[in-house]
Amino acid sequence: MIQPLVAYNPYSSPFLLAAYGINNNFKATDVLNRWIWTFEKSQQSNVRIIGFATDCDPRYLLAMRLATGFFAKFVNIPICNRNDVLEIDLPKNWSSWFFMQTRQLFLCFQDPTHLCTKLRNRMLSKKAKMLIGNEQVSIEVLIELLDTKSKFVHGLVKTDIEPKDRQNFTSCLKLSSDDVLSALEDINNSRATRVYLQLLRSVVIAYIEHDTSIVDRIYHGWFAVFLCRIWQIWLQLIDEKYIVGYSVDNKKDLFITSPAHFSIELNAHSLLAAFLLVSQQKLPDSAL
């Protein structure tokens, strides 16, 4: 699929560019080489590709990290040293928290719908455990919410917290709604779950809702980033005895998955990079 940038229509419809079948036997480097080939062939037709977006397949995610130099490096092809890269003029002192390289051939985004379902599935998993402060992110508080409050208050039904379809995106929207967050305030031991649902809510606002302003997109995208950074650092700092009883081998098992975390970081960096490039008149306004 390809979505053109049209100055008079910020929500231009994507269309099918090509379709092909594969045997699923490929590596991240194969993906990256295909993107570079597509980019170069498009350049020959005076088409400038701004970015690529995929689901959260680990191979695609690694290809994105290699392409952007985001805690990964492709030693065989110096992508960022090309003459046709986009130069991002990073404001002073941003380098302490903005980790993407300032020379990018193209930007990369992880599909936010898949990211949301990954976050939702992690929370509803019967095996995974996540710890925030002295509370566990728990499906139990959602079950209690269903049992103690009317559907008219929170809008949830049982299938929203026990979805048979793991890609059911509608339940992500319902679980992260303001009504659910508000209703959970009266449920004991729900603070960690509310924090986690706010993380999910911020991803929805930043990358999915069409009426979100660019300022709010950046705010919520980076709210999710810093929430995850603080959460991860806290887990690294707490004593090992603090996690006794949670049946995990490592403290990192009490956090979101690595692909989901990298996706949150990568999307926020790419969004802010796009904004900077537009503000510096290196990309058209329609890129936002």
Side-chain angles (χ1 to χ4, degrees), residues 29-57:
T29 51
D30 298 322
V31 175
L32 182 54
N33 284 326
R34 185 175 75 240
W35 286 347
I36 294 174
W37 182 88
T38 303
F39 177 89
E40 292 174 344
K41 291 298 181 181
S42 299
Q43 288 276 70
Q44 294 174 10
S45 299
N46 294 321
V47 174
R48 212 305 178 177
I49 292 178
I50 303 301
F52 289 92
T54 71
D55 63 18
C56 290
D57 183 296

Side-chain angles (χ1 to χ4, degrees), residues 111-284:
D111 177 59
T113 300
H114 284 86
L115 174 56
C116 286
T117 55
K118 278 186 175 294
L119 292 172
R120 188 273 318 275
N121 292 340
R122 178 77 170 171
M123 177 181 66
L124 301 183
S125 171
K126 295 181 180 179
K127 296 181 179 180
K129 293 180 173 62
M130 292 182 290
L131 184 68
I132 301 178
N134 59 357
E135 292 181 4
Q136 186 175 332
V137 178
S138 172
I139 188 177
E140 300 302 325
V141 298
L142 295 172
I143 294 175
E144 183 178 346
L145 179 64
L146 287 175
D147 291 341
T148 59
K149 294 193 176 185
S150 168
K151 174 186 174 182
F152 295 105
V153 174
H154 48 69
L156 296 177
V157 294
K158 190 173 182 180
T159 53
D160 291 323
I161 62 174
E162 297 179 358
K164 295 181 180 179
D165 179 8
R166 290 175 58 83
Q167 297 303 320
N168 180 4
F169 176 67
T170 301
S171 73
C172 297
L173 297 178
K174 294 173 70 175
L175 284 166
S176 61
S177 69
D178 291 335
D179 289 340
V180 170
L181 289 168
S182 178
L184 281 173
E185 292 180 1
D186 298 330
I187 304 296
N188 291 331
N189 301 316
S190 67
R191 180 172 295 178
T193 304
R194 281 184 279 136
V195 170
Y196 191 80
L197 290 176
Q198 184 59 63
L199 169 64
L200 178 58
R201 177 66 179 154
S202 287
V203 173
V204 170
I205 294 174
Y207 307 111
I208 292 176
E209 293 186 352
H210 285 298
D211 57 352
T212 306
S213 68
I214 184 58
V215 172
D216 285 340
R217 289 190 189 281
I218 293 172
Y219 171 84
H220 282 280
W222 282 91
F223 173 87
V225 166
F226 286 115
L227 191 158
C228 288
R229 288 182 185 178
I230 293 170
W231 180 11
Q232 186 182 51
I233 291 171
W234 173 76
L235 282 172
Q236 292 171 350
L237 292 177
I238 62 174
D239 195 285
E240 290 286 347
K241 65 181 181 181
Y242 196 85
I243 67 172
V244 174
Y246 287 100
S247 302
V248 294
D249 297 327
N250 194 294
K251 289 187 289 186
K252 67 180 182 180
D253 296 329
L254 296 171
F255 189 55
I256 59 176
T257 63
S258 179
H261 187 203
F262 269 118
S263 297
I264 289 172
E265 287 272 1
L266 192 61
N267 281 8
H269 280 82
S270 292
L271 176 63
L272 187 52
F275 173 78
L276 290 173
L277 289 167
V278 169
S279 66
Q280 294 160 10
Q281 299 183 339
K282 297 176 182 178
L283 284 180

Side-chain angles (χ1 to χ4, degrees), residues 84-99:
D84 50 357
V85 297
L86 296 166
E87 290 266 8
I88 305 168
D89 295 330
L90 196 67
K92 188 178 180 180
N93 299 327
W94 280 27
S95 58
S96 62
W97 52 269
F98 187 92
F99 303 138

